[in-house]
Amino acid sequence: MDSGTQPPETVKPAPDPTPVILQFLGIVTNLHEQVNKEAVLRTTRSAGTETTTNHPEPALDRILTLSNMNRRLEGQDDHHIPKLHRNLRLLKEDVVKLQDLRTDVAEEVLKHIHPLELLLEKVAKEENKDPTKHPLTLGMKKDLDDINKKIFNLMCQVPLLPNKRKKAKGSNDDNGDKDNNGKEIVCLPGIHANEEDLQRLAVFRYVLREFKDLTDIRKICLLSFAVFPENQEVNRTMLMYWWIGEGILSSQHIPSETGTLQKPEDVVKGFLDDFEKRNLIEPVEVKRKVKPSSYKMAPFVHSSVVLISKEIGLFDMFRKKEKPTMSQSRLNKVCLVEGSSSQPQAKAKKMEKPHLIETVFNVSERFPDFAFKWFSEDQSSQNKKLSLSKPTYKALKVFYLGRWERTAKRHIEVENPELMKNLKYMTKLKLLSFQGISRIERLDDAVCKLRELIILDLRACYNLEKLPDKIDSLKALIYLDITDCYMIDRMPKRLSWLDNLEVLKGFVVSDATDEETFCTLAELKHLKKLRKLSISINKGGFGIIDVFKAVKYFEKLEKLKVAWGGINEHPEAKGVDGGKDAKKDIAKEAKKDKAKEAKKDKAKEAKKDKAKEAKKDEVNAAADKKEQPAGFIRTATRKFFSPKVDNEEPELPLTLKKLDLQCFPDENLPLWLEPADLGGLEKLYIKGGIKLTGFRKPQTEATCNVKVLRLKFLPRLKVEWRDLKELFPKLEFLDKYQCPQVSFCPTDGVGIWSK
């Protein structure tokens, strides 16, 4: 070889992570044994003959069984090593599953290479024989369809993974000014920066004229769009939460102009429809949605609204020729923006008059926990020369530290969760949102002091493991959202004591057996006002019949969402049934993460609960003594006078209007859930179900009232359009996606049909 010739570069295969994880596990095991050496010895001695065995355990099995000792270990810091150990164990299992899947894909694809090569030769021969004739015969098309189905089944087994974008040259991942998948945030001067020029524009005069024509309540609602960036999608539910928290919107049902009672959701929709008619906002049209649920504001309208809100003193984020900054407005609203944690006002002593703050809203800050410091006991004592009573911040109504965006592009985390103890001083709080915040493993007991809290938004708090046991202290709570909190594996027993609760999202059906310590689905029937419920099922064998035995007595339930898939599954059953039913569906992500958490160490959880309860009982002994008799009577009454669910026949609640089934586990719908027996149901969604094969044809003329039907990720569902029209005679909207055997439907290119 020439001295000047460089050898060709060889691409190194990706390293196998399994040995690295095993090495890591070994180190953690040694660390665990060293830190808890005395406790381990004590545990071994107390175990007696049960710890001895005639056959030595494999090293890895010995590592994975060390967590059984955690229940005997005591101390505040002993859970850190078992937690790391558990996460490594789950990571190893996932890696093994992915490697098995990789092997299966390779073997399956390899099987079809030779048949495809033969097919290619046949096509070439047919084309040579008669160039005018189509080269694909009916037999060839059938062979291609068979191959396509098998490849589709494999594709559905691949978990949804985020796309990795290539790093641009010269980019720095550690740059603190990066967000939204690494894109640097560049602040350009807004249109509102030049107030004189803006006020001369016709669009400003139009916005001002329409603004003056609104009622006082709608004026404040419109100005709330000033805090969001222009052309950004704002979700209707988030706006409703905010407006209820501010006191702009009533949380109760109110009479409309026609005399009928309107829910807050309907009132908000009316406000937004009015803004849309006035060309102040634009709906975000999504083809797969019947009606929009998000809105945005055009740049010139947004700048006009920003200027109006600034003149009124509602929000004060913008300065001329500067990027947005955090400051307290004249009407005592504080908006956290990117970089707020570095401003002088982030320090507790630098924020003037925190006792007057009414709203804290996180617009773009990643580390918002400094805001807790404004409402501490020390701050209150500075504002009062002599304070003999407990400090309170009675002006604060909204504490929105979480993510307002529906997407997870903005990472938010709390660096010091202990600061949550200051929540007990926010006694008049109406809205508390930690949506999408990382590193919150538990809610401080201080949250139970918020007796006037209406909305608790914990959506996508991925590290949250447990809700407070005394959650029933939140007497005014109406909206509770714990969707996508995958670490939570059971509901607190007193959840069913929240008499005012109307919306509960993310309820978990636990696979635990000690029903005396957690809330079951059947116990939710005591929530007489509950009208919207979403459920995640982590319990094996808990099927559709069990669900509707439990919910049949829910008197006001209008919307029900049920997602199966939190059951621990092992990779013995490979192929079609390996979990392909919900690729790219939200339920798939829930299935993957909840399956991990079903394996959580029960001893570790019991130890934490015990320590937490001991501390709570010591601090709140007097309160416990008062609550104990009433709680005992309430529990006993419900236990002895409630109907037995096991003896009940399953039924749909009479008030149910919308049913959403995800990862449906059975081959057929039960007879009482067939289209002809759906009663007043208007919306039916079935998303994911590798076994579901079809609908039974009605024996008599169908009386189904379903208007909206969504069928997604149902590879075995076989039904034709004429059958669907017969089953659902009032159908107005069909959404069909990844259902290859739902045929002859007059849908468009993306699977949508609208009447």
Side-chain angles (χ1 to χ4, degrees):
M1 182 184 293
D2 245 0
S3 58
T5 305
Q6 297 293 334
E9 294 184 1
T10 58
V11 179
K12 295 182 179 180
D16 183 1
T18 305
V20 181
I21 295 175
L22 291 176
Q23 182 183 358
F24 204 128
L25 275 170
I27 297 172
V28 172
T29 302
N30 293 333
L31 178 62
H32 186 281
E33 292 175 347
Q34 289 296 324
V35 172
N36 301 290
K37 193 171 185 179
E38 293 182 3
V40 171
L41 292 173
R42 185 167 61 251
T43 302
T44 306
R45 294 191 193 102
S46 63
T49 57
E50 294 181 2
T51 58
T52 60
T53 178
N54 295 328
H55 304 283
E57 291 180 305
L60 181 59
D61 292 340
R62 183 176 64 85
I63 292 172
L64 297 182
T65 54
L66 274 177
S67 58
N68 294 329
M69 296 186 292
N70 296 340
R71 68 191 68 189
R72 295 183 171 87
L73 302 181
E74 297 178 354
Q76 295 182 347
D77 298 328
D78 288 341
H79 69 281
H80 293 93
I81 298 175
K83 185 175 181 180
L84 176 60
H85 183 275
R86 182 201 62 189
N87 291 336
L88 284 168
R89 173 170 55 85
L90 296 177
L91 178 62
K92 172 188 170 293
E93 293 177 2
D94 288 340
V95 169
V96 171
K97 291 177 184 177
L98 288 174
Q99 288 174 334
D100 290 343
L101 178 62
R102 183 178 179 180
T103 303
D104 293 343
V105 170
E107 291 176 353
E108 187 68 27
V109 171
L110 192 62
K111 290 179 185 177
H112 301 300
I113 290 179
H114 184 61
L116 281 176
E117 289 176 343
L118 294 177
L119 184 63
L120 182 62
E121 294 177 1
K122 291 180 182 178
V123 169
K125 291 179 180 179
E126 292 291 333
E127 193 172 6
N128 291 332
K129 289 180 181 178
D130 188 358
T132 60
K133 188 178 179 181
H134 197 283
L136 287 179
T137 63
L138 291 176
M140 294 177 184
K141 291 179 180 179
K142 186 178 182 303
D143 292 340
L144 286 174
D145 286 339
D146 292 340
I147 295 174
N148 188 43
K149 287 179 182 178
K150 292 178 181 178
I151 297 300
F152 172 73
N153 290 341
L154 283 177
M155 182 185 69
C156 289
Q157 293 183 54
V158 179
L160 187 62
L161 299 174
N163 293 324
K164 291 187 177 180
R165 301 194 177 191
K166 292 183 178 180
K167 188 166 62 175
K169 292 182 179 180
S171 65
N172 185 4
D173 288 344
D174 297 328
N175 188 354
D177 294 327
K178 300 246 178 177
D179 200 353
N180 296 330
N181 293 328
K183 293 181 180 178
E184 186 173 357
I185 295 178
V186 180
C187 292
L188 298 176
I191 303 170
H192 53 268
N194 195 328
E195 299 178 3
E196 296 79 8
D197 289 347
L198 179 60
Q199 291 174 357
R200 285 196 292 265
L201 295 177
V203 64
F204 176 80
R205 294 194 297 271
Y206 173 80
V207 172
L208 186 60
R209 184 171 63 252
E210 294 295 329
F211 174 78
K212 291 179 178 179
D213 193 40
L214 296 171
T215 62
D216 291 343
I217 291 178
R218 298 192 182 196
K219 284 178 181 177
I220 302 299
C221 291
L222 179 66
L223 292 181
S224 63
F225 279 86
V227 306
F228 307 111
E230 60 192 34
N231 270 332
Q232 288 294 311
E233 297 181 12
V234 182
N235 184 263
R236 184 172 62 221
T237 301
M238 187 277 302
L239 290 173
M240 181 189 70
Y241 286 169
W242 187 11
W243 295 345
I244 289 177
E246 294 280 4
I248 304 170
L249 185 68
S250 173
S251 60
Q252 306 300 320
H253 295 199
I254 59 176
S256 64
E257 297 177 355
T258 59
T260 58
L261 289 179
Q262 278 190 316
K263 298 187 287 290
E265 292 90 336
D266 299 327
V267 177
V268 170
K269 189 176 183 303
F271 287 2
L272 296 172
D273 288 345
D274 184 21
F275 298 159
E276 181 187 347
K277 290 176 182 177
R278 297 173 183 269
N279 294 319
L280 298 174
I281 61 173
E282 304 170 12
V284 179
E285 301 289 349
V286 179
K287 196 161 189 178
R288 293 194 176 276
K289 288 191 175 183
V290 180
K291 295 180 181 179
S293 60
S294 297
Y295 300 81
K296 61 183 180 179
M297 186 172 278
F300 279 99
V301 178
H302 179 264
S303 296
S304 303
V305 169
V306 167
L307 183 55
I308 294 171
S309 68
K310 184 178 179 181
E311 291 179 352
I312 292 176
L314 186 61
F315 301 110
D316 190 9
M317 300 164 49
F318 301 97
R319 298 288 186 274
K320 192 171 184 178
K321 297 183 180 179
E322 291 182 9
K323 68 177 184 179
T325 55
M326 174 187 67
S327 63
Q328 185 173 347
S329 69
R330 295 200 308 273
L331 295 181
N332 299 306
K333 313 291 183 186
V334 179
C335 293
L336 311 184
V337 296
E338 186 181 17
S340 294
S341 55
S342 302
Q343 290 184 223
Q345 294 90 336
K347 297 180 179 179
K349 296 180 180 180
K350 297 292 184 179
M351 175 56 73
E352 297 180 1
K353 301 179 180 179
H355 61 287
L356 297 179
I357 295 177
E358 296 180 358
T359 301
V360 176
F361 192 93
N362 185 4
V363 179
S364 54
E365 176 58 51
R366 300 176 192 165
F367 306 100
D369 52 350
F370 64 86
F372 284 107
K373 299 177 183 178
W374 297 336
F375 308 101
S376 65
E377 186 174 3
D378 296 336
Q379 280 294 96
S380 181
S381 61
Q382 290 179 8
N383 296 316
K384 297 181 181 180
K385 294 182 180 179
L386 181 62
S387 178
L388 299 178
S389 60
K390 292 182 179 180
T392 57
Y393 295 86
K394 295 183 178 180
L396 187 64
K397 301 294 190 298
V398 174
F399 199 58
Y400 201 111
L401 297 192
R403 189 173 59 225
W404 57 268
E405 309 96 327
R406 277 298 187 184
T407 59
K409 291 182 178 179
R410 179 163 62 105
H411 175 75
I412 308 176
E413 71 176 52
V414 170
E415 296 178 306
N416 186 5
E418 294 299 321
L419 291 173
M420 281 198 293
K421 65 185 180 181
N422 292 341
L423 287 171
K424 62 186 175 184
Y425 304 128
M426 308 176 190
T427 55
K428 300 296 181 180
L429 202 64
K430 299 292 191 296
L431 166 60
L432 177 63
S433 175
F434 294 147
Q435 182 177 152
I437 298 182
S438 301
R439 297 186 62 182
I440 299 178
E441 295 185 359
R442 66 179 184 87
L443 288 183
D444 194 277
D445 293 340
V447 76
C448 297
K449 303 291 184 182
L450 307 178
R451 304 301 172 91
E452 299 185 21
L453 190 70
I454 297 174
I455 302 161
L456 180 56
D457 180 11
L458 304 173
R459 187 185 188 96
C461 289
Y462 302 116
N463 301 112
L464 185 63
E465 299 179 358
K466 193 173 183 291
L467 295 176
D469 290 329
K470 295 183 180 178
I471 195 171
D472 60 308
S473 299
L474 305 177
K475 302 294 184 183
L477 196 66
I478 296 177
Y479 299 89
L480 175 59
D481 191 350
I482 48 176
T483 308
D484 296 341
C485 295
Y486 303 129
M487 297 287 284
I488 296 179
D489 66 347
R490 63 179 68 193
M491 297 287 101
K493 190 69 175 177
R494 298 185 184 183
L495 182 65
S496 63
W497 297 9
L498 294 170
D499 295 329
N500 289 308
L501 197 65
E502 296 183 17
V503 177
L504 174 56
K505 299 179 180 179
F507 182 89
V508 175
V509 176
S510 175
D511 60 350
T513 56
D514 49 338
E515 292 189 1
E516 297 297 325
T517 64
F518 64 90
C519 181
T520 63
L521 180 60
E523 289 175 329
L524 295 185
K525 66 177 177 291
H526 300 296
L527 302 177
K528 300 298 183 182
K529 297 182 180 180
L530 190 66
R531 54 186 174 85
K532 187 182 295 187
L533 173 66
S534 68
I535 307 168
S536 296
I537 297 178
N538 289 355
K539 183 176 182 180
F542 197 91
I544 189 73
I545 293 177
D546 301 291
V547 171
F548 283 94
K549 279 183 179 180
V551 305
K552 65 179 292 186
Y553 290 110
F554 291 14
E555 298 175 358
K556 294 188 176 180
L557 190 64
E558 298 176 0
K559 297 182 179 180
L560 175 63
K561 177 180 176 181
V562 186
W564 285 269
I567 302 102
N568 184 18
E569 295 180 353
H570 299 281
E572 285 87 351
K574 300 177 181 178
V576 174
D577 294 333
K580 67 179 184 305
D581 48 288
K583 183 179 182 288
K584 296 184 180 178
D585 193 88
I586 300 174
K588 176 64 181 177
E589 283 297 302
K591 176 179 178 180
K592 180 182 175 183
D593 290 330
K594 291 175 203 161
K596 297 178 183 178
E597 296 316 314
K599 308 171 188 174
K600 290 179 67 175
D601 193 328
K602 300 299 186 299
K604 173 242 178 184
E605 190 65 39
K607 184 193 72 172
K608 289 180 65 178
D609 291 349
K610 184 177 179 181
K612 183 177 178 181
E613 282 301 318
K615 184 177 179 181
K616 287 164 61 179
D617 292 341
E618 181 181 349
V619 176
N620 301 318
D624 289 346
K625 289 179 181 178
K626 294 179 181 179
E627 292 178 4
Q628 192 174 11
F632 176 78
I633 293 172
R634 190 170 190 171
T635 303
T637 302
R638 290 183 173 182
K639 181 176 181 180
F640 291 109
F641 292 95
S642 297
K644 299 294 183 182
V645 174
D646 294 341
N647 301 327
E648 296 291 333
E649 290 295 327
E651 292 180 14
L652 260 70
L654 297 176
T655 54
L656 197 64
K657 300 295 181 184
K658 177 181 176 181
L659 177 60
D660 187 349
L661 304 176
Q662 297 188 358
C663 299
F664 187 73
D666 302 328
E667 293 184 11
N668 297 296
L669 293 171
L671 290 174
W672 45 269
L673 201 56
E674 287 294 334
D677 298 308
L678 292 179
L681 197 72
E682 296 179 356
K683 297 180 180 179
L684 176 62
Y685 303 169
I686 305 178
K687 305 175 183 178
I690 58 175
K691 297 181 180 179
L692 186 63
T693 56
F695 303 107
R696 294 185 181 93
K697 291 189 177 181
Q699 302 297 324
T700 59
E701 185 177 353
T703 57
C704 181
N705 292 309
V706 171
K707 298 178 181 178
V708 180
L709 177 64
R710 298 186 189 274
L711 304 172
K712 297 185 177 183
F713 307 106
L714 303 170
R716 295 182 180 177
L717 179 64
K718 191 171 184 179
V719 63
E720 295 183 1
W721 172 247
R722 60 183 178 183
D723 298 325
L724 286 178
K725 290 295 289 182
E726 183 181 352
L727 292 166
F728 305 98
K730 297 183 180 180
L731 192 64
E732 297 178 0
F733 184 90
L734 172 65
D735 180 2
K736 179 180 75 75
Y737 184 72
Q738 296 287 14
C739 300
Q741 299 190 65
V742 178
S743 54
F744 302 110
C745 297
T747 54
D748 60 12
V750 295
I752 300 296
W753 172 84
S754 181
K755 190 172 182 179

